[in-house]
């Protein structure tokens, strides 16, 4: 029921209006003058005010002016009653915010029509505002649950959707699989992409994945996470093989390159899978388990799908411990250098040693470099570790030289992160100068990943090293990028042929053909060759017969700590 406030100083008129409105079913309250009406309006906040213009204490004009300035009374419909019908009076009232005028004397039906018209107009405005508010709420709801750049649903959306569906899956004894997709883009172009461009690519990928829902839907929702990953919630399944098949379909779909500006952008994806309720009961835990699964397998550089298992957490925890122990490991002398001799098979003499890092961890024992070097590269610890290796190797070889046992070269591996440092060459020269090590006996081994950078910059650094007397060799030759191209571009002292080509070379004709080509080309360019990973007498004989004279591998010696290396050299 609508409440109407009647403000009128003449008692009979006030009473008549109240009787008319009561008969029409309105609730009424009354005031005798403007001040009392102001108090009543503030106290009751009526649905409408009918007010005389001329009143003692506070007239109608003053009253409406005050009411329109107050937030709780500003929008109350207001009808003036007046015996004055001059245009100037009507204009003044309307400018102050009046909705209508009734000229005294008026008929009952005039009063009712005026009131009805005001309420109908108010109802229309109220509905309009309500519709606008609902639209704004809908927009806000959408914005909160969608990423602003890609327009894709976000983690909040995913969580709400997950909570709506997990009970159904649980009650039907089904799995609810969550697939977390980590995407790397291989840009086959010199164009530098803005960060927002990657978001657009992810949006295109999501649209492509949605195509897998035709004709039968298999993906419930595709969401974008702030980690630049896509999260897919599948429909409930009873067999994990169904999830594996869908993951394989996704990888096959993503194996097709994106075409942007007529250029191909290759996609490399890794999928971590965690399932409700077996792997976790909450979405946050599922996402964490899927993420650690991706991180675990990314160390192996595999682009495939992998299911979470609890053992992965142990591996991740071990990785975390190793990361936190890196710096202290140098201070506590936990790192050790081993040296693997390089033998000239024609003379039987040691012509060099390769310095290889080992970590004697107080809790885990001897940790393989295959485990901790990738972690060091990811964390940036490879820079102080690389500096320590070079210094320590120079120191230990100097000690051997002082005993007359080491008139041969020292090979030290250099990571791409070290090589790309702006002051790399000067830093290397400062280290060997501080250790008083002969630069002519130092050889830095680079993997071929170094050479996919700016060729001119790499060439300048290699030439600078050469000017200092420091030699450079390619490690793991033949397994990287366009290997033969770099033989022409750069001046190397050695090529170290990867063990892949050496293993069983005496039995495999294709390997023999490849090695013969490499040896012939190296001889033409006057670059020496070192064969890595030689383990059998047959491999040694084949290499010797085909003019590969320098050999490194278990056939002659495993990597040795410095004390054992001394014994080996003395035996020589």
């Amino acid at each position: 029921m609508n409440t109407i406030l009647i403000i009128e100083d003449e008692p009979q008129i006030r009473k008549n209006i109240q009787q008319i409105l009561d008969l029409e079913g309105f609730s009424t309250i009354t005031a005798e003058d403007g001040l009392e009406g102001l108090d009543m309006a503030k106290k009751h906040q009526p649905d409408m005010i009918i007010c005389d213009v001329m009143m003692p204490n506070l007239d109608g004009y003053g009253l409406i002016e005050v009411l329109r300035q107050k937030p709780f009374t500003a929008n109350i419909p207001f009808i003036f009653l007046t015996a004055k019908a001059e245009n100037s009076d009507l204009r003044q009232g309307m400018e102050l915010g009046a909705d209508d005028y009734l000229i005294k004397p008026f008929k009952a039906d005039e009063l009712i029509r005026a009131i009805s018209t005001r309420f109908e107009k108010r109802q229309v405005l109220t509905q309009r505002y309500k519709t606008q508010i609902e639209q704004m709420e809908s927009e806000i709801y959408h914005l909160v649950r969608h990423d602003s750049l890609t327009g894709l649903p976000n983690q909040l959306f995913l969580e709400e959707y997950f909570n709506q569906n997990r009970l159904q899956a649980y009650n039907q004894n089904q799995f609810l699989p969550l697939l977390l997709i980590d995407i790397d883009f291989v840009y086959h172009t010199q164009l530098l992409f803005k960060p927002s461009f990657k978001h657009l690519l992810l949006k295109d990928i999501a649209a492509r994945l949605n195509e897998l829902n035709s004709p039968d839907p298999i993906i419930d929702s595709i969401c974008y996470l702030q980690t630049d990953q896509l999260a897919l919630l599948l429909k409930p399944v009873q067999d994990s093989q169904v999830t594996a098949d869908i993951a394989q379909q996704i990888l096959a779909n993503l194996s097709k390159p994106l075409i942007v500006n007529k250029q191909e952008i290759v996609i490399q994806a890794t999928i971590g899978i965690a399932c409700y309720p077996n792997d976790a009961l909450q979405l946050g835990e599922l996402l964490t388990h899927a993420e650690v699964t991706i991180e675990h397998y990314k160390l192996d550089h595999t682009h495939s799908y992998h299911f979470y298992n609890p053992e992965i957490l142990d591996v991740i925890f071990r990785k975390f411990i190793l990361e936190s122990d890196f710096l202290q490991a140098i201070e506590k002398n936990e790192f050790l250098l081993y040296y693997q001799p390089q033998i000239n098979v024609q003379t039987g003499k040691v012509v060099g040693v390769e310095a290889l890092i080992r970590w004697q961890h107080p809790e885990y024992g001897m940790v393989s470099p295959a485990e901790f070097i990738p972690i060091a590269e990811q964390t940036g610890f490879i820079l102080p570790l690389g500096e320590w290796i070079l210094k320590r190797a120079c120191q230990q070889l100097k000690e051997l030289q002082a005993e007359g046992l080491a008139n041969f070269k020292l090979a030290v591996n250099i990571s791409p992160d070290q090589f790309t440092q702006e002051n790399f060459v000067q830093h290397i020269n400062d280290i060997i100068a501080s250790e008083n090590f002969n630069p002519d006996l130092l050889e830095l081994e680079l993997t071929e990943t170094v050479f996919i950078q700016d060729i001119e910059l790499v060439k300048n650094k290699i030439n600078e090293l050469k000017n200092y007397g420091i030699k450079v060799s390619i490690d793991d030759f033949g397994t990287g990028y366009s290997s033969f191209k770099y033989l022409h571009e750069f001046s190397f002292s050695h090529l170290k042929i990867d063990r892949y080509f050496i293993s069983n070379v005496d039995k495999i004709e294709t390997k023999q053909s490849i090695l013969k080509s490499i040896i012939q080309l190296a001889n033409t360019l006057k670059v020496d060759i070192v064969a890595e990973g030689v383990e059998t007498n047959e491999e040694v004989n084949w290499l010797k017969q085909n003019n590969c004279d320098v050999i490194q591998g278990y056939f002659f010696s495993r990597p040795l700590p410095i004390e054992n290396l001394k014994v080996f050299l003395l035996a020589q």
Side-chain angles (χ1 to χ4, degrees):
M1 181 182 294
N2 291 320
T3 299
I4 299 177
L5 170 61
I6 305 167
I7 308 173
E8 171 61 62
D9 60 331
E10 295 185 23
Q12 189 59 48
I13 296 177
R14 184 171 68 248
K15 183 178 179 180
N16 291 341
I17 295 175
Q18 188 174 21
Q19 289 176 343
I20 294 170
L21 297 183
D22 287 343
L23 290 173
E24 291 294 326
F26 293 108
S27 172
T28 58
I29 52 178
T30 62
E32 298 179 358
D33 57 41
L35 285 179
E36 184 183 2
L38 180 61
D39 291 337
M40 296 286 283
K42 291 178 180 178
K43 181 179 179 180
H44 297 281
Q45 295 182 30
D47 298 299
M48 181 178 290
I49 297 174
I50 297 175
C51 180
D52 189 17
V53 173
M54 306 303 295
M55 294 182 296
N57 298 326
L58 180 67
D59 64 13
Y61 296 141
L63 173 63
I64 192 173
E65 188 172 6
V66 173
L67 291 177
R68 290 298 186 242
Q69 293 175 1
K70 304 294 181 180
F72 294 111
T73 58
N75 295 314
I76 298 176
F78 198 100
I79 299 176
F80 267 131
L81 303 177
T82 182
K84 299 172 64 178
E86 296 182 8
N87 287 335
S88 58
D89 294 324
L90 299 177
R91 186 68 181 172
Q92 182 181 0
M94 300 303 286
E95 288 178 351
L96 289 172
D99 294 279
D100 204 348
Y101 259 93
L102 286 175
I103 308 298
K104 298 177 183 178
F106 51 80
K107 297 179 181 179
D109 61 337
E110 289 182 283
L111 175 63
I112 299 305
R113 283 199 305 272
I115 293 173
S116 299
T117 301
R118 292 306 105 202
F119 276 137
E120 289 172 3
K121 183 177 180 181
R122 185 183 185 187
Q123 187 175 5
V124 170
L125 290 175
T126 299
Q127 184 58 45
R128 183 187 302 169
Y129 292 144
K130 184 178 179 181
T131 301
Q132 289 176 347
I133 290 172
E134 289 174 350
Q135 290 174 345
M136 291 173 62
E137 288 176 345
S138 177
E139 290 175 4
I140 292 171
Y141 183 91
H142 182 86
L143 289 173
V144 169
R145 289 160 179 78
H146 290 75
D147 174 65
S148 59
L149 290 173
T150 63
L152 294 171
N154 60 17
Q155 186 167 335
L156 177 60
F157 178 97
L158 182 67
E159 183 150 7
E160 292 178 347
Y161 196 82
F162 169 79
N163 290 335
Q164 292 171 11
N165 289 272
R166 62 176 179 170
L167 289 180
Q168 177 185 352
Y170 184 83
N171 292 334
Q172 295 178 357
N173 197 28
Q174 293 178 316
F175 300 106
L176 196 58
L178 173 77
L179 277 61
L180 188 63
I181 306 179
D182 187 86
I183 297 172
D184 293 324
F185 296 104
V186 181
Y187 301 132
H188 290 176
T189 174
Q190 295 296 321
L191 182 64
L192 295 178
F193 294 113
K194 297 179 180 179
S196 59
F197 191 81
K198 183 175 182 179
H199 296 148
L200 294 177
L201 294 179
L202 288 170
K203 185 176 181 179
D204 290 343
I205 289 172
R208 180 188 287 185
L209 293 179
N210 265 320
E211 296 173 1
L212 297 176
N213 277 336
S214 179
D216 299 319
I218 57 176
I219 302 172
D220 251 4
S221 63
I222 301 176
C223 300
Y224 169 79
L225 306 183
Q226 291 301 314
T227 54
D228 281 346
Q229 295 169 316
L230 295 177
L232 276 64
L233 197 63
L234 303 186
K235 291 186 174 298
V237 298
Q238 289 183 322
D239 186 355
S240 60
Q241 185 57 46
V242 175
T243 304
D245 293 341
I246 294 173
Q248 191 59 55
Q249 289 182 52
I250 291 171
L251 289 172
N253 184 283
L254 296 182
S255 66
K256 306 168 189 174
L258 290 173
I259 307 299
V260 179
N261 296 331
K262 298 182 179 180
Q263 298 185 58
E264 287 190 353
I265 298 177
V266 178
I267 304 167
Q268 294 178 339
T270 304
I271 302 178
I273 305 173
C275 298
Y276 167 90
N278 290 30
D279 297 327
L281 299 178
Q282 302 297 327
L283 178 69
E285 290 180 273
L286 288 174
L287 286 171
T288 299
H289 291 168
E291 176 67 31
V292 299
T293 301
I294 288 173
E295 289 302 314
H296 174 67
Y297 286 101
K298 281 184 78 172
L299 291 176
D300 298 333
H301 303 286
T302 59
H303 297 286
S304 184
Y305 68 87
H306 306 278
F307 284 88
Y308 166 80
N309 70 73
E311 294 178 1
I312 290 176
L313 281 182
D314 296 333
V315 176
I316 296 297
F317 180 74
R318 177 181 169 108
K319 176 186 173 185
F320 173 77
I321 294 297
L322 293 181
E323 285 181 11
S324 62
D325 289 349
F326 269 146
L327 288 177
Q328 291 183 350
I330 288 183
E331 297 171 0
K332 295 179 178 179
N333 295 317
E334 293 173 4
F335 287 111
L336 306 170
L337 286 185
Y338 278 48
Y339 298 90
Q340 189 168 35
Q342 297 170 345
I343 310 296
N344 186 309
V345 292
Q346 300 296 341
T347 65
K349 299 293 184 181
V350 176
V351 294
V353 292
E354 180 182 2
L356 299 166
I357 185 71
R358 299 289 186 268
W359 186 359
Q360 184 66 47
H361 193 275
E363 180 180 352
Y364 298 128
M366 191 67 77
V367 182
S368 166
E371 179 179 5
F372 70 79
I373 289 297
I375 301 174
E377 289 175 337
Q378 290 176 349
T379 59
F381 180 75
I382 194 67
L383 299 179
L385 181 62
E387 180 177 335
W388 180 89
I389 292 171
L390 182 56
K391 284 184 176 180
R392 187 64 176 151
C394 289
Q395 292 167 1
Q396 292 187 330
L397 263 290
K398 282 279 292 181
E399 293 173 7
L400 291 181
Q401 291 168 1
E403 298 178 32
L405 295 174
N407 189 25
F408 47 70
K409 69 180 176 66
L410 166 66
V412 178
N413 291 281
I414 298 297
S415 77
D417 291 333
Q418 287 177 273
F419 190 83
T420 54
Q421 285 185 293
E422 186 175 351
N423 60 345
F424 168 74
V425 176
Q426 186 59 49
H427 193 55
I428 295 294
N429 191 54
D430 290 343
I431 290 175
I432 60 177
S434 66
E435 301 301 332
N436 195 26
F437 190 83
N438 183 358
D440 292 331
L441 297 179
L442 178 62
E443 182 173 275
L444 304 182
E445 295 187 358
L446 306 175
T447 58
E448 294 175 60
T449 52
V450 168
F451 307 117
I452 62 174
Q453 305 168 43
D454 187 324
I455 290 182
E456 287 304 315
L457 183 62
V458 173
K459 187 183 297 184
N460 290 338
K461 287 188 177 183
I462 291 177
N463 288 336
E464 284 185 65
L465 291 168
K466 187 176 179 182
N467 291 337
Y468 284 120
I470 301 169
K471 300 175 179 61
V472 176
S473 65
I474 300 182
D475 196 14
D476 301 330
F477 183 77
T479 61
Y481 304 82
S482 307
S483 306
F484 293 105
K485 171 184 176 182
Y486 302 123
L487 294 180
H488 172 71
E489 293 283 350
F490 306 104
S491 299
F492 299 111
S493 61
H494 286 86
L495 302 181
K496 297 193 71 176
I497 302 177
D498 188 75
R499 167 170 165 68
Y500 170 80
F501 297 103
I502 303 300
S503 179
N504 295 318
V505 66
D506 54 296
K507 301 181 182 68
I508 302 175
E509 291 185 3
T510 53
K511 289 188 177 182
Q512 293 174 8
S513 300
I514 293 172
L515 275 180
K516 286 178 181 179
S517 298
I518 293 174
I519 293 169
Q520 182 179 359
L521 181 61
N523 289 337
T524 301
L525 297 173
K526 297 180 180 180
V527 178
D528 294 329
I529 287 179
V530 178
E532 290 187 287
V534 181
E535 296 185 356
T536 69
N537 188 56
E538 291 77 14
E539 292 169 357
V540 172
N541 288 335
W542 189 94
L543 292 166
K544 187 175 180 180
Q545 292 168 10
N546 287 276
N547 301 318
C548 181
D549 296 336
V550 181
I551 288 175
Q552 176 181 338
Y554 285 6
F555 179 80
F556 287 107
S557 174
R558 291 175 175 270
L560 303 169
I562 191 66
E563 297 81 7
N564 293 16
L565 179 63
K566 288 182 182 180
V567 175
F568 181 89
L569 294 173
L570 287 169
Q572 285 277 310

